[in-house]
Amino acid sequence: MSERITLFAEVILPLPLPSTYTYRIPYEWNDLIKGGQRVAVQLGNKKIYSGLVRNVHSNAPNVQSVKYILSILDPDPIVSEKSFKLWQWIANYYMCYLGDVMSIALPSALRLRSETKVIINPDFDGDITNLEEDESLIIESLAKKEALSIDDVNKVCGKANILSLLNKMIKKNIIITEEELNSRYRPKVEDYIRLSDTYQEQEKLKELFSILESKKVMEKQYETLLTFLSLAKYPNAEIKKIELSKQTKFSPSAFATMVKKGIFINTKKVQSRLESHSSSLSIKNLILNQDQEDVFNNIISEWNNKPVTLLHGVTGSGKTEVYIKLIEKVIEKGEQVLFLLPEIALTSHLISRLEKYFGSKIGIYHSRFSLCERAEIWQKVCSPIKESRYDIIIGSRSSLFLPFEKLGLIIVDEEHDSSYKQYDPAPRYNARDTAIFLANLHNAKTVLGSATPSLESYFNAKEGKYQFLELKKRYSGTLLPEIFVADIKESTKRKEMHSHFSKMLVDHITEALKNKEQVILFQNRRGFALQLRCEVCGWIPSCTHCDVSLTYHKQSDLLKCHYCGYSVNILQQCGDCGSHKVKMVGFGTEKIEEDLEIFFPNARVARMDLDTTRAKNSYESIINDFQDRKIDILVGTQMVTKGLDFDNVSVVGILNADTMINFPDFRSFERAFQQMTQVSGRAGRKHKRGTVIIQTYNPYHQAIRDVIDYNYKGMYESQILDRKVFKYPPFYRLIKISIRHKEKIVLDAIADEFRTDITKIFGGRILGPEYPLIPRVKNYYTKEFLLKIERKESIAKAKEEIKILVEKFTTKHKQTRITLDVDPA
Ligand code: ADP
Ligand code: ZN
Ligand code: ZN
């Protein structure tokens, strides 16, 4: 026993603080506190937080008084040493604090703090007979007040430290944090049960029966097992729990005991809405074609030399099938697989395909899942019992932080997708790059897959850093869609434009509708939205808090700001010259939808963009309707470019390619190529070659020529040259430094001062300061610097110097905010 030694714990708080805080461990807990556990601690005079113990030591800190740890929230560590290494890497590489990483790594309910508000869990059955005194006190006041902050709860109970009690109540599903409730995303989840592998053997099952039969107290378990088997028909079948619980002989308590004993395995599965449509082939006997087989074999045989692979496969080439075989190979060895997707909600057909193949071994992790679901997945990822452990996790970027036991492979699908990068808040990390680091920590492999790889990954492959493999043909054998260009300038001259549609596009849509085929129209989000404009002086109303023009929203009949939500009624009069000739101009998805209804009155038109999909499940119902052919023409923004797999789409229209190409960003050609190619890939997938029509003012633009020719290499070669000449990634690393202040004049002065100081360190490597495209957002003005550092220079040293400088500026100018973005997207 180490009883009399004075021990201290370094605690990470879920706040942007530069370091850990030291707390003293009460003697009686010397043996109980370990790194990775949560503890309740006080910061300042009254704020209480749940912090995470990083490590325990005996070096007394150099301060007057050290506060004690108030309570232990977890009996065992919830964060492993490996995860801490990942957190530390992210903090160093992306220049943020450990507390920032903690804030995204742990589900919100694991981050209780004084300001957190709790409410009664809507799933709580209201039975208060079994509650402890404090618990019922809290429930009583919640019944009156609806929401209580943790400070309020302290007062109600007359105790200072209530976190461990609240934590318990959350675990028991009695209460829930408000944040949790608001972000509750309810996929359709159902419980499935099956017999554990052990009892699927005849002999063992017989033994089990005779044990259960022998004792009167086990009668209910005996009957539950019998009921299960009568429903399941085969010992290895899986049935919905709800089916079982409907039976008269079913006993919930006996069932719970049997799950605990490991007789039954209970898994939650996300119900796929596309289940009935997805490919009818039973993937259990999936056979790769020759090309896929070659790719698979090459990946495996080279894995030890090159643990990272880039798979460049055209849309429909069957990358998923290759992934499936790789996953199978890895889980056979008892290792886990993480399958990363850019946007979980947009890819449920892919999930259902994997679920069909791997069944209950798959867990799906989404940051919008409820606490219970996430907590369950969290436990099942690190479960020491092989039987109840998830072998495969499908998730968006936050699933990188799950407590994997033994990771063998990470797949990053659509690796080029910019939503892998978190913009705000810190940590501004890129999940693809972080995945490679995480895989390395576990000595695992990484496969990056895409039909349009990022320039960076393709470069790494060309340089020999990654293994490089290609799938050049569609699995079905159909050709990639034929792409035509409609010259808007010419068409306008010839008076052949129907509002925003060229004659060529109208003709193809008409033909498709006649053949009962479907159409997808893509309008870039950066395209013009509908705006009010004065015909006399050109005035456009703009937001009072941000430097953006307001756009018209038909549903609410208001002019709105996309950045802060500010809105006003439609104006009848120009705000500048007073003229009454104000008119709606523009070309948003909503306007296109309206126009289509005019030109194709018999077609069923639907729109998919941020506005129409904000409500729960609305995205799903649009997709379902499109899948069920209840929609003929689907108009949408970026969302329609991602992974949808329909086999009746014969025409894809890109309404205005120029808005993508002309966007002022060094990646705009690359992005334009990727988006146009991806959306083209939605045409004619299975039986018939599809058609794509690109409308543009610049039909001979190189980016458009490359899309038409499916010339990824051509795009790559011209772009990589530009990147080298103009000093951009992958040859240079970028760090974006943004300085923000409410006063424009003050900001200008501070930015100039910053420039002087940073130039002393980095010389000509620093660009700026410049106002971004939108200089003011939510009343803050922003000025940006861009630092370009040669690959071979030490980035660690540069980061250290920037940190010191930023520290100095934020101390000196209290009202200034500085954010750092490493590898900005
Ligand atoms: P990608 O992900 O590369 O765009 P998919 O994996 O979606 O391509 O495959 C395209 C279509 O071809 C899917 O409908 C898939 O079921 C089918 N497919 C691909 N490979 C095979 C295979 N080996 N056996 C059967 N069907 C396959
Ligand atoms: Zn005017
Ligand atoms: Zn605004």
Side-chain angles (χ1 to χ4, degrees), residues 727-745:
K727 303 189 173 175
Y728 280 107
F731 304 98
Y732 287 72
R733 293 171 201 268
L734 303 183
I735 299 176
K736 189 161 86 186
I737 304 166
S738 310
I739 306 186
R740 295 189 295 155
H741 200 283
K742 280 193 174 169
E743 304 291 334
K744 196 165 184 246
I745 304 166

Side-chain angles (χ1 to χ4, degrees), residues 704-768:
I704 292 185
R705 299 325 297 181
D706 288 338
V707 172
I708 297 174
D709 300 336
Y710 292 98
N711 190 1
Y712 178 87
K713 280 207 189 85
M715 184 279 293
Y716 173 80
E717 265 146 28
S718 68
Q719 283 306 296
I720 205 80
L721 215 66
D722 276 6
R723 298 280 181 94
K724 196 165 192 171
V725 172
F726 298 108
K727 303 189 173 175
Y728 280 107
F731 304 98
Y732 287 72
R733 293 171 201 268
L734 303 183
I735 299 176
K736 189 161 86 186
I737 304 166
S738 310
I739 306 186
R740 295 189 295 155
H741 200 283
K742 280 193 174 169
E743 304 291 334
K744 196 165 184 246
I745 304 166
V746 182
L747 176 63
D748 284 338
I750 294 172
D752 285 343
E753 185 187 343
F754 192 85
R755 186 187 163 84
T756 311
D757 282 14
I758 199 162
T759 307
K760 279 185 202 143
I761 309 172
F762 296 106
R765 293 186 185 88
I766 191 89
L767 296 185

